[in-house]
Amino acid sequence: MNAPFNPARTGHRDPFVAFVCDETTAETLRPIAVELGWSPEKVNKGGLRNAVQTLSVSASPNILFVDLSESGDPLNDINALAEVCEPGTVVIASGQVNDVRLYRDLVASGIHDYLLKPLNPDALRDAFAQAQTLLNAPKLAEASADHPHCAVAVIGTRGGAGASTIATSLAWLMGEKQGRTTALLDLDVHFGTGALALDLEPGRGLTDAIENPSRIDGLFIERAMVRASDRLSVLSAEAPIHSPIMTDGAAFYQLQEEIRTAFECTVVDLPRSMLVNHPHLITDVQVAVLVTELTLAAARDAIRILSWFKSNAPQTQVIVVANKIQQAAVLEISRKDFEGSIERKIDFLLSYDAKVASQSAKLGKPLAEVGKGNKGLSALADLAARIAGIADSGADEAAPKSKAKVGKGSGSLFDKFKGKMPAKAKK
């Protein structure tokens, strides 16, 4: 149920308001509020009950701190708060109940975080900093109905062929040169470099999605994606290598489905093992970019992967890109012999320039951006243009049938607190 419309609540919004149950909590909050440039007078007594009464007749703040210490039924009372709290408010709650289940239930209801009392000043500062970051983050635009969605998977024939480098550059080109809002989805959960290559922190969005697939929806995508530019966002991970990822691949497919509704282009950095273990990830992919080097091992695996696509994904157009091309004298296999082995032509060749590659890594910028004046890398822009053309020309056949979006119930805070990032479940 949405809060009733009240014209009095559509005006100026305070940056911060708190409702606490005791003076000790108030004394902890006030100096931190001053540090952040907020008025200490916005720390009010009365806890959750006072919050509900006050917000029913006044505008909701950007950040709302509410004390649940006197609440006998926190979950039910938080839903009462939802009836009067406007979308866009980041809600941080505190209480005395040290229960992981309660924490998870509150976060699932839509609050940003739950802090245990007595409050730790550093934990408070961190929570407020995260809330401010979230409020300042630009919102993801809806995918344009005029632009058919372009779904691309980039796969390397062998480790080190440069598939991740090309995926990052391709995502940047689709955004900056082809003018499409683009998502880079790096599915190498433990060793992915999608965020690293763009000098970004990967965040926990991807690992959270794998651990809790039921939480994946449009709002989750908006919060989890890390923005690299106005047109490019990244979902990557650096999962602990002592923690194996146990998944049937459903979370990855759900991510692709939700990203499709929020972006005009998806570039998936798809490890070979994912292709083998989760073939359904290719179902709606229009173009697969197969990145290879001119070596004997790469030729063998290119043959196998091309055969796999022919049998399992005939709807996907495969583009072969030969990467890190050096002088003919030092090639393991010539282009002619390689093409003879795989029984098809190589579509694009990219030369190897150690200086540009090094500069790209140092600056945290895509190879296509750093080497845009390099003739040996000009094929990257041609590759992006080819992919955009395929997506546009095959719109009628490639566009997926519209699907009804399944979201949270209308009574959920998920639909009301529109400005929050999903917090991590505390172990």
Side-chain angles (χ1 to χ4, degrees), residues 9-16 59-63 85-90:
R9 297 192 286 122
T10 61
H12 173 71
R13 301 180 72 162
D14 288 317
F16 163 78
S60 302
N62 291 329
I63 298 174
C85 194
E86 299 166 15
T89 296
V90 180

Side-chain angles (χ1 to χ4, degrees), residues 14-17 29-30 32-42 63 128-129 131-132 135:
D14 288 317
F16 163 78
V17 175
L29 272 171
R30 288 189 186 110
I32 295 175
V34 173
E35 286 178 23
L36 296 170
W38 301 330
S39 171
E41 295 178 358
K42 293 298 180 180
I63 298 174
F128 288 143
Q132 287 181 306
L135 287 167

Side-chain angles (χ1 to χ4, degrees), residues 28-29 31-32 35 115 118-128:
T28 305
L29 272 171
I32 295 175
E35 286 178 23
L115 305 177
L119 295 175
N120 179 294
D122 289 335
L124 263 177
R125 290 186 181 94
D126 289 343
F128 288 143

Side-chain angles (χ1 to χ4, degrees), residues 57-97:
V57 295
S58 63
S60 302
N62 291 329
I63 298 174
L64 172 64
F65 182 93
V66 60
D67 193 339
L68 305 179
S69 299
E70 296 177 354
S71 172
D73 187 351
L75 278 176
N76 187 58
D77 291 343
I78 278 291
N79 278 293
L81 179 64
E83 298 301 317
V84 299
C85 194
E86 299 166 15
T89 296
V90 180
V91 180
I92 299 171
S94 70
Q96 296 172 324
V97 180

